[in-house]
Amino acid sequence: MKLPEKFLERMQTDLKAEYDDFLKSYEDKPYTALRVNTLKLSVADFQKTVDFCGENVNWCENGFYYDGKKGNHPSSIAGLFYSQEPSAMITAETIDIKEGDKVLDLCAAPGGKSTQLAAKLNGTGLLVSNEVVPGRAKILCENIERMGIKNTIVTNMYPEKMESHFSEFFDKIIVDAPCSGEGMFRKDEIAVQEWSIEHTYSCAQRQLSILDSAYKMLATGGQLVYSTCTFARVENEDVAEKFKHKYEDIKLVKMHRLMPHKVKGEGHFCALFEKGGKRKNEKRIPITETKREITNIYREFEEENLNTTLGGVFVSFGDFLYLVPSGMISLDKIKCVRPGLQLGEIRKGRFIPSHHLCMALKKDEFRRTISLTDEEISLYIKGEAISHIGEKGYGAMLYNGTYPIGWYKLSDNIAKNHYPKHLRKV
Ligand code: SAM
């Protein structure tokens, strides 16, 4: 790999005696890791379920090294884990997420940190995951869905457009900022080609502007974590210092740097801040609930097919019905691509359940299930129907007898395939 001269010169100046070890780290293969999705199962159960869970990632109790090539494994389809670069796990571990918190992940796609934060919230509170690039926001939604996360709103906005709506609203904010990506060099040749010293400075400007927006949305007494996957001081310590100096009520609590010659990972920087002052109780406009007739269509489906009664605020968006996380305020003027748990679509008065709902429920919450073998799962995810004798209606296909992977609808002893067409592996 040919690394940019100016990058090497700067690293040598910054790292001094450590430089040779840093350079040698480019001879090693990049590390890949996974994070167990504790919304669906414990680490112990995951280790009993799969045979590829390696050594623990030191700074994340649910993180483990593995070979990184299990995207099509049934346990991945069932959302039992999320593949994540190991050092990237440090950001969400640095901030003190408490159950019930209102959390904003301002630069969220593809969702590594959001899915980690959601596991920490454990189904409580509210997570707003924002991504500016529409195509990436779509991937973020798919990951939120696969991991079975119920309490997340996915938005697609520039941070400055969110400020007035969410003024001082969030208890915790994560800014995992777009950066010059020096920590990606070992994995991504394009990051090497796109790098320049000038780019590190323009990234720093953008990072400070994103932090300004984050500051405005952070409640007094709240915490903010800023992170990048680059080694450039101008985008890391310098940005953290400038941000702290700009705002009197911002305290820099700590900074971490994971470096590839010191840890098993590609490297990450993060800085934790606290905003001083006493919490104000602002009046917010609540979200508008959908009409009772629409909720009733869902309730009929629920009664026929589920063993659970979901509670909360039901909201319609086009033909789709959602359950919005508690604590969410009006979404007027918000470009929202997923306002919570997508329950399903109402088509000509009939309710068609969404994949998101299936992935968010546990085995016992379905009235009907079919346990598939791994071979049957590979047919199911291609879209094939499966013969089955049982009660008519919607049910969940299960991996390993326990974990939902998608809907079926049984009639005439055929379980019709309801695995989403865009996810099928053909
Ligand atoms: N947090 C993500 C994760 O853990 O999977 C990775 C985020 S990535 C480092 C940075 C993200 O910021 C990208 O998805 C990028 O599209 C987004 N981004 C780009 N420009 C932005 C801007 N001006 N404001 C906010 N986000 C931006």
Side-chain angles (χ1 to χ4, degrees), residues 262-286:
K262 292 198 160 165
V263 300
K264 290 182 179 173
E266 302 312 290
H268 225 70
F269 168 83
C270 66
L272 178 71
F273 302 93
E274 271 169 15
K275 187 171 181 177
K278 276 227 165 73
R279 186 73 47 104
K280 289 174 245 158
N281 235 346
E282 282 197 39
K283 270 216 146 151
R284 315 266 180 187
I285 303 167

Side-chain angles (χ1 to χ4, degrees), residues 82 84 88 105-114 130-133 136 157-160 174 176-179 206 210 229:
Y82 187 94
Q84 190 176 18
D105 185 359
L106 198 47
C107 315
K113 274 114 196 160
S114 277
N130 178 65
E131 169 56 44
V132 288
V133 179
R136 289 176 64 82
M157 296 176 80
Y158 275 92
E160 60 270 27
I174 281 78
D176 185 33
C179 68
R206 179 166 59 178
I210 298 173
C229 67

